[in-house]
Amino acid sequence: MDTTNDLPNRWTDIGKMIKRNGPFASPDFVPDTKTTPTIMNGLQNDFKVLVIGAGGLGCEILKNLALSGFKNIDVIDMDTIDVSNLNRQFLFRRKDVGKSKAEVAAAFINSRITGCNVTPYKCRIQDKDDDYYRQFKVVIAGLDSIEARRWINGQLVNLVVCDDGNIDPETVIPLIDGGTEGFKGQARVILPKITSCFECSIDAFPPPTTYAVCTIANTPRLPEHCIQWALMFGLEDAKLPKPFDPKQFDNDNPLHMNWVFETAKKRAEDHNITGVTYKLTQGVSKNIIPAIASTNAIIAAACCNEAFKFCTDSSGFLNNYMMYNGLNGVYTYTFEYEQKEGCAVCGTNVSTFDISPSTTLEVFMEKLMEDPRFQFKKPSLRSNGRNLYMQGTVLNAATKPNLTKTLQELEVLDDDEITITDPALPGIACRIKVHYLQDN
């Protein structure tokens, strides 16, 4: 790689960490020498890193990686630059408003760091296949969406190859997850199938607000009901024209969100409901999280430190969760999240769900979506080889009448297993064992 035009001594500080041993270095750590610069060659030529998100956290992560010696970086972000981003997403300028975040961020880094090759993708993470993700040494997520974090977590867990219970370490791609909310933040290291995964701690996040399916479908009373109808039923209704493929719906895409807004507004008008606004539509479909530049910088630094340690063995990595609170000072706390036996993604045990046999399938689904252990969004259910309820356009019509039937009427017996698939958990079938409670 041509570094003749690079700044003199740019990598001097990096050299101090990789050219000498230390008390915290891994047992496998072998310092670089003038004749064998193995680690530096790896950082600049071999180790490919994926950054998901090019917003407030992503801009800091990209800058840190590039200045830490990494030169092969991919970045994925579906969003475009808005004026409101400019106060903290420092890779962007006013002339960039309306352009792709990933593309502008990559161009900025490539122009400032000689030899750095940041490749941008303006797409959804779900658009990439398994082979794409297999090429990375580490993945860093700088996302503000729990749904996207659950997806990439599930994807990396699925890529791990196990033979008779033995994990192939070459297939383990570490996920470093960063998140901020105001003056608070967290950095987390996830080794798929080895440590706890993101789904193991999903109940630590407040479950999203849910609404009764029958209310949304038949008797909406609130503007939120109309927005949820557009998201749940409007997208699957072939009679409603859409300027995009409904299977590729993304709530970060302004074109998609505008369609949801207009569809929800029309339904609200039909039911004499007021209050549907574009801002409310965004709020219902995704969580809008406040961001502060200093918090982004701190969490991004923590994430990139972990990536550097993974790739150089110069120090032990985080085990496995660090929380930061800068509200009344500078406070950090580190602890280990343990693997959850009943985890839908990396666990082996089946979770038990207590319910009355006289509960209708519709109410059962609502209780499932409210349960903080799972936080399903659009679950499809099967039991005893039969479809109980399916979200897809074709099978939805055939299974929709089941919503008003009780579990007993659907011949779901005590201790039967129900298999649940959900868009938030890619390629994963979550199993739940039904435990019947006695009706009073």
Side-chain angles (χ1 to χ4, degrees):
M1 182 174 291
D2 180 20
T3 58
T4 54
N5 296 321
D6 209 350
L7 293 176
N9 303 317
R10 181 189 283 279
W11 311 115
T12 299
D13 292 331
I14 300 298
K16 292 177 181 178
M17 289 182 280
I18 63 176
K19 291 181 179 179
R20 57 189 181 187
N21 215 326
F24 301 108
S26 164
D28 298 328
F29 177 72
V30 178
D32 270 4
T33 65
K34 289 184 178 180
T35 56
T36 57
T38 306
I39 298 175
M40 199 63 188
N41 283 338
L43 289 175
Q44 298 195 333
N45 301 310
D46 302 329
F47 301 150
K48 196 167 185 179
V49 180
L50 172 63
V51 177
I52 303 176
L57 200 53
C59 284
E60 292 280 356
I61 291 171
L62 288 169
K63 176 260 295 181
N64 290 348
L65 289 175
L67 293 176
S68 298
F70 292 93
K71 290 197 172 183
N72 290 295
I73 306 167
D74 278 17
V75 57
I76 297 178
D77 196 300
M78 184 69 187
D79 209 356
T80 55
I81 300 165
D82 187 77
V83 173
S84 63
N85 303 146
L86 302 182
N87 70 328
R88 63 192 182 281
Q89 298 176 23
F90 60 92
L91 298 182
F92 310 140
R93 302 293 182 266
R94 184 170 290 274
K95 63 180 176 62
D96 300 321
V97 171
K99 298 179 182 178
S100 161
K101 285 186 177 182
E103 293 171 2
V104 173
F108 192 106
I109 297 293
N110 290 339
S111 67
R112 292 292 292 269
I113 310 297
T114 302
C116 195
N117 180 30
V118 181
T119 304
Y121 293 94
K122 186 179 185 293
C123 65
R124 306 181 330 142
I125 54 175
Q126 294 89 342
D127 295 339
K128 297 296 185 181
D129 60 17
D130 292 353
D131 288 337
Y132 174 79
Y133 288 106
R134 285 193 182 100
Q135 65 182 309
F136 296 104
K137 177 76 172 181
V138 64
V139 175
I140 307 179
L143 293 159
D144 60 2
S145 164
I146 291 178
E147 182 179 351
R149 289 153 83 181
R150 295 177 75 183
W151 192 92
I152 189 62
N153 172 75
Q155 174 67 11
L156 296 182
V157 169
N158 284 344
L159 293 181
V160 176
V161 175
C162 297
D163 184 13
D164 292 331
N166 298 316
I167 296 173
D168 180 358
E170 296 297 320
T171 63
V172 176
I173 303 172
L175 171 62
I176 302 171
D177 176 54
T180 66
E181 183 173 353
F183 287 100
K184 300 177 182 179
Q186 57 87 23
R188 181 173 182 180
V189 168
I190 296 170
L191 299 179
K193 290 284 189 179
I194 298 175
T195 67
S196 64
C197 74
F198 185 82
E199 200 72 21
C200 288
S201 56
I202 192 65
D203 54 359
F205 296 91
T209 302
T210 57
Y211 305 95
V213 175
C214 62
T215 301
I216 295 170
N218 303 313
T219 56
R221 299 185 301 274
L222 301 172
E224 290 86 352
H225 295 161
C226 300
I227 296 168
Q228 283 288 358
W229 183 89
L231 291 166
M232 294 180 66
F233 299 105
L235 285 171
E236 297 179 353
D237 190 343
K239 297 178 182 178
L240 292 177
K242 305 169 188 68
F244 58 89
D245 183 352
K247 295 180 181 179
Q248 302 295 320
F249 173 75
D250 187 89
N251 58 18
D252 283 324
N253 189 313
L255 177 67
H256 298 193
M257 287 306 301
N258 192 63
W259 181 89
V260 174
F261 165 59
E262 295 293 343
T263 303
K265 188 170 68 172
K266 175 64 168 60
R267 182 164 176 80
E269 291 171 353
D270 292 343
H271 290 81
N272 297 317
I273 298 171
T274 59
V276 174
T277 64
Y278 186 80
K279 186 175 182 179
L280 180 63
T281 303
Q282 287 182 305
V284 171
S285 63
K286 63 178 183 176
N287 293 322
I288 306 299
I289 301 174
I292 294 174
S294 58
T295 309
N296 287 336
I298 291 168
I299 297 303
C303 291
C304 293
N305 276 343
E306 296 308 317
F308 185 85
K309 290 187 287 185
F310 268 121
C311 294
T312 64
D313 285 326
S314 57
S315 182
F317 52 83
L318 177 68
N319 184 31
N320 52 28
Y321 185 98
M322 184 276 288
M323 58 165 286
Y324 161 79
N325 190 333
L327 192 60
N328 297 311
V330 177
Y331 173 76
T332 62
Y333 178 68
T334 304
F335 64 93
E336 181 182 1
Y337 255 123
E338 296 183 353
Q339 280 184 294
K340 187 170 71 174
E341 290 186 354
C343 176
V345 174
C346 70
T348 54
N349 288 3
V350 180
S351 298
T352 301
F353 198 90
D354 296 334
I355 197 74
S356 166
S358 61
T359 304
T360 64
L361 182 63
E362 179 183 358
V363 173
F364 174 65
M365 288 178 61
E366 290 169 7
K367 290 184 179 296
L368 272 178
M369 295 168 70
E370 292 169 358
D371 195 311
R373 293 178 297 170
F374 312 114
Q375 298 196 23
F376 296 123
K377 293 181 69 70
K378 297 179 67 176
S380 294
L381 285 68
R382 285 176 55 84
S383 180
N384 298 319
R386 297 184 299 113
N387 295 329
L388 298 180
Y389 183 78
M390 306 302 287
Q391 297 283 352
T393 306
V394 177
L395 295 176
N396 180 261
T399 57
K400 197 172 181 179
N402 289 343
L403 290 173
T404 57
K405 297 179 181 179
T406 67
L407 295 177
Q408 216 165 26
E409 291 172 336
L410 291 169
E411 299 180 359
V412 177
L413 306 178
D414 190 24
D415 285 340
D416 272 358
E417 286 189 7
I418 295 180
T419 302
I420 303 170
T421 55
D422 192 89
L425 305 174
I428 293 170
C430 177
R431 294 179 299 149
I432 291 177
K433 181 177 288 188
V434 174
H435 176 252
Y436 280 153
L437 303 173
Q438 295 296 324
D439 289 329
N440 295 327

